[in-house]
Amino acid sequence: QQQVRQSSQSLTVWEGETAILNCSYENSAFDYFPWYQQFPGEGPALLIAIRSVSDKKEDGRFTIFFNKREKNLSLHIKDSQPGDSATYFCAASARGTNAYKVIFGKGTHLHVLP
Amino acid sequence: AQTIHQWPVAEIKAVGSPLSLGCTIKGKSSPNLYWYWQATGGTLQQLFYSITVGQVESVVQLNLSASRPKDDQFILSTEKLLLSHSGFYLCAWSLGGDQAPLFGEGTRLSVL
């Protein structure tokens, strides 16, 4: 079963719009949620991360909104640029020894049109 | 300066042949190390992690093995490659279990 779900396989927005990428999870023990950005042929790069004690994390144009009760979170990319076109992965891990098991979603391909 | 380096960048191997992929971390003491596999256009599947030298934990069985012979080195290997081993292999590191893994450039493996 897919423990971390990304609802959209693909998302297209126009330059300047806010892209919203959604993610949900099954395991209540998950408490740390990093997001990664990956360009073709490269390794994923850590973009921003949030812990379950927070409901929002902001870093420049990137913001995570987190809803612990609903077990979902979203990544908002404000003022999207063509250079943001990439695959975005939501990931999750729990505490303790399970902290070393980081589970990834299937990814959302974002296309930003000029 | 690049903290994590994977080698080789790419490999083309025959089914049934052996494989060894490497990963070196520079400038970090006692990092946690990870191996991930990614099919083309797919998600990242964690294969192994290691918290300390000589200790490796398997997350999923894919007829692969991993070893950590030195604090800064992580090796992925198999004696007999399968077609299903093709993909992108990524090494990653973190300094704490509660920190997100940071990935290397990856090794592209094609098994023919």
Side-chain angles (χ1 to χ4, degrees):
Chain A
Q1 71 281 17
Q2 188 72 18
Q3 293 193 57
V4 177
R5 287 198 186 90
Q6 293 184 247
S7 55
S8 301
Q9 198 171 9
S10 181
L11 175 68
T12 300
V13 300
W14 292 101
E15 182 176 359
E17 291 184 335
T18 296
I20 301 174
L21 291 77
N22 297 308
C23 178
S24 62
Y25 61 97
E26 298 288 326
N27 190 344
S28 301
F30 287 154
D31 70 343
Y32 182 57
F33 302 88
W35 282 86
Y36 291 84
Q37 177 190 58
Q38 186 178 32
F39 295 105
E42 297 181 8
L46 178 65
L47 203 56
I48 187 173
I50 193 167
R51 298 192 186 277
S52 60
V53 292
S54 302
D55 56 12
K56 181 181 175 183
K57 177 78 176 289
E58 192 169 352
D59 185 356
R61 296 189 294 113
F62 303 95
T63 302
I64 300 175
F65 292 92
F66 179 72
N67 187 322
K68 187 171 183 176
R69 188 172 59 88
E70 299 292 329
K71 292 187 195 168
N72 61 46
L73 59 158
S74 58
L75 173 68
H76 292 224
I77 305 175
K78 207 174 359 177
D79 187 25
S80 296
Q81 303 296 311
D84 295 329
S85 297
T87 301
Y88 293 81
F89 290 96
C90 173
S93 65
R95 289 184 179 274
T97 53
N98 287 323
Y100 304 103
K101 295 180 183 176
V102 183
I103 312 296
F104 282 73
K106 291 187 175 181
T108 296
H109 300 273
L110 174 66
H111 305 274
V112 182
L113 301 176
Chain B
Q2 189 69 29
T3 300
I4 179 170
H5 175 64
Q6 288 188 241
W7 75 92
V9 172
E11 278 266 47
I12 300 175
K13 303 278 281 185
V15 169
S17 63
L19 174 77
S20 181
L21 303 180
C23 172
T24 298
I25 314 297
K26 293 299 182 190
K28 305 296 177 185
S29 180
S30 303
N32 303 311
L33 298 176
Y34 310 81
W35 276 113
Y36 279 81
W37 173 79
Q38 185 179 33
T40 302
T43 188
L44 289 96
Q45 171 67 63
Q46 189 174 6
L47 302 174
F48 300 94
Y49 68 88
S50 171
I51 301 170
T52 190
V53 174
Q55 288 186 17
V56 176
E57 300 296 329
S58 173
V59 177
V60 65
Q61 291 297 325
L62 283 180
N63 294 306
L64 295 166
S65 59
S67 64
R68 186 169 177 177
K70 295 192 267 188
D71 186 53
D72 63 354
Q73 197 172 77
F74 207 17
I75 306 296
L76 184 71
S77 61
T78 183
E79 292 186 2
K80 203 176 265 192
L81 278 166
L82 307 172
L83 283 173
S84 57
H85 285 136
S86 292
F88 199 35
Y89 287 85
L90 291 149
C91 180
W93 68 275
S94 69
L95 284 181
D98 60 347
Q99 294 183 8
L102 302 178
F103 287 85
E105 319 96 332
T107 294
R108 176 74 58 190
L109 174 67
S110 297
V111 182
L112 306 176

